[in-house]
Amino acid sequence: MEFTSSHKYHTDSVQGMPQPNMPGGLYDETMKKTRGALDRFVDAKTMPFWSNQDTRNALISTMVPAGAALTAFAVFARDKDVVNWWQNIKKPSWAPKDVRLYSVMDILALAPLGYASYLVYKNGGGFDYTDTRFALGMYGANMALALATIPFVKKKCLGCLWKNTALVHLTAVGTAIAFYKIDQTAGLWMVPYALWTGFYAILTYSIHSENKAIKDI
């Protein structure tokens, strides 16, 4: 007796193994958790579509970095000791003197990052894909390092501050590159933040260099 099956198979050009030919050309390659595997079966011009739920999720995602920036602004603006310390500390001539200006720049640079991260999550196929997990993981590490700036400033630890800001900048650049590979718009939204953190890293290193010989500032 001859048995027939309604499932047809095609040969995968990479693995040389028969793969099921799913309706609509969709097939979950469990061994290829990358954006490239997703692009193979999804038309980037039509999928994934944007819904009202996506708009809400993007707004919620935006609140995370924006909230962190607002928190830092509130902490520094109300701490007169930190404000006076920053105003009186020896700085390069090109450095802004008002500590609150840095908080404003943080808000402007950080605000778009939540939206960018959601674009990567949605268009990168979620956490099922290795490159998306890596990009969002680096983004999370960057946010943690950025928040670590607050206690370093409050403790007036210039050595810790410039090293931390250097790490913030490096992870910002890495995140921008990782985002761009998944979603170009998301990567471009990261560029102002990467530039700002680069400026901040140079500034804090310069301040540290000019004040490292001073024991009590």
Side-chain angles (χ1 to χ4, degrees), residues 10 23 28 52-54 71 115 127 130 146 161 173 175 186 192 213:
H10 70 276
D28 181 20
N52 291 334
Q53 179 70 29
D54 291 315
T71 299
Y115 172 67
F127 291 113
T130 303
L161 181 61
V173 173
T175 301

Side-chain angles (χ1 to χ4, degrees), residues 25-100:
L26 297 177
Y27 172 67
D28 181 20
E29 290 186 314
T30 57
M31 300 303 293
K32 297 180 181 178
K33 298 297 186 180
T34 64
R35 173 64 179 168
L38 181 65
D39 286 339
R40 182 176 178 181
F41 299 104
V42 178
D43 185 355
K45 295 181 180 179
T46 59
M47 290 288 288
F49 57 87
W50 191 269
S51 66
N52 291 334
Q53 179 70 29
D54 291 315
T55 300
R56 184 175 68 177
N57 292 342
L59 290 174
I60 293 173
S61 299
T62 300
M63 293 178 184
V64 175
L70 288 172
T71 299
F73 176 80
V75 169
F76 295 141
R78 292 184 298 179
D79 193 329
K80 300 299 182 183
D81 184 48
V82 170
V83 172
N84 292 333
W85 169 73
W86 187 262
Q87 289 176 340
N88 296 322
I89 198 174
K90 188 177 180 181
K91 294 186 289 292
S93 59
W94 45 267
K97 299 185 182 302
D98 192 341
V99 67
R100 288 164 291 196

Side-chain angles (χ1 to χ4, degrees), residues 2-204:
E2 182 179 356
F3 293 93
T4 60
S5 173
S6 60
H7 294 286
K8 296 181 180 180
Y9 291 84
H10 70 276
T11 301
D12 186 88
S13 60
V14 177
Q15 295 183 346
M17 298 294 291
Q19 307 289 356
N21 186 16
M22 302 298 289
L26 297 177
Y27 172 67
D28 181 20
E29 290 186 314
T30 57
M31 300 303 293
K32 297 180 181 178
K33 298 297 186 180
T34 64
R35 173 64 179 168
L38 181 65
D39 286 339
R40 182 176 178 181
F41 299 104
V42 178
D43 185 355
K45 295 181 180 179
T46 59
M47 290 288 288
F49 57 87
W50 191 269
S51 66
N52 291 334
Q53 179 70 29
D54 291 315
T55 300
R56 184 175 68 177
N57 292 342
L59 290 174
I60 293 173
S61 299
T62 300
M63 293 178 184
V64 175
L70 288 172
T71 299
F73 176 80
V75 169
F76 295 141
R78 292 184 298 179
D79 193 329
K80 300 299 182 183
D81 184 48
V82 170
V83 172
N84 292 333
W85 169 73
W86 187 262
Q87 289 176 340
N88 296 322
I89 198 174
K90 188 177 180 181
K91 294 186 289 292
S93 59
W94 45 267
K97 299 185 182 302
D98 192 341
V99 67
R100 288 164 291 196
L101 177 61
Y102 297 90
S103 295
V104 172
M105 290 300 300
D106 285 342
I107 294 172
L108 294 176
L110 282 164
L113 303 192
Y115 172 67
S117 67
Y118 185 72
L119 284 180
V120 169
Y121 174 80
K122 178 177 176 63
N123 297 334
F127 291 113
D128 289 336
Y129 294 88
T130 303
D131 48 356
T132 304
R133 289 199 303 269
F134 174 79
L136 294 176
M138 183 171 291
Y139 168 70
N142 177 266
M143 290 294 100
L145 289 168
L147 286 173
T149 302
I150 297 176
F152 290 145
V153 172
K154 290 182 70 67
K155 291 180 180 179
K156 306 172 186 177
C157 181
L158 293 174
C160 297
L161 181 61
W162 85 260
K163 292 173 184 176
N164 183 72
T165 53
L167 290 175
V168 171
H169 173 60
L170 291 175
T171 53
V173 173
T175 301
I177 295 172
F179 276 20
Y180 189 84
K181 290 181 178 180
I182 297 172
D183 186 283
Q184 293 185 2
T185 300
L188 293 176
W189 275 117
M190 286 290 302
V191 171
Y193 176 67
L195 293 174
W196 166 241
T197 55
F199 168 81
Y200 199 36
I202 294 172
L203 172 64
T204 53

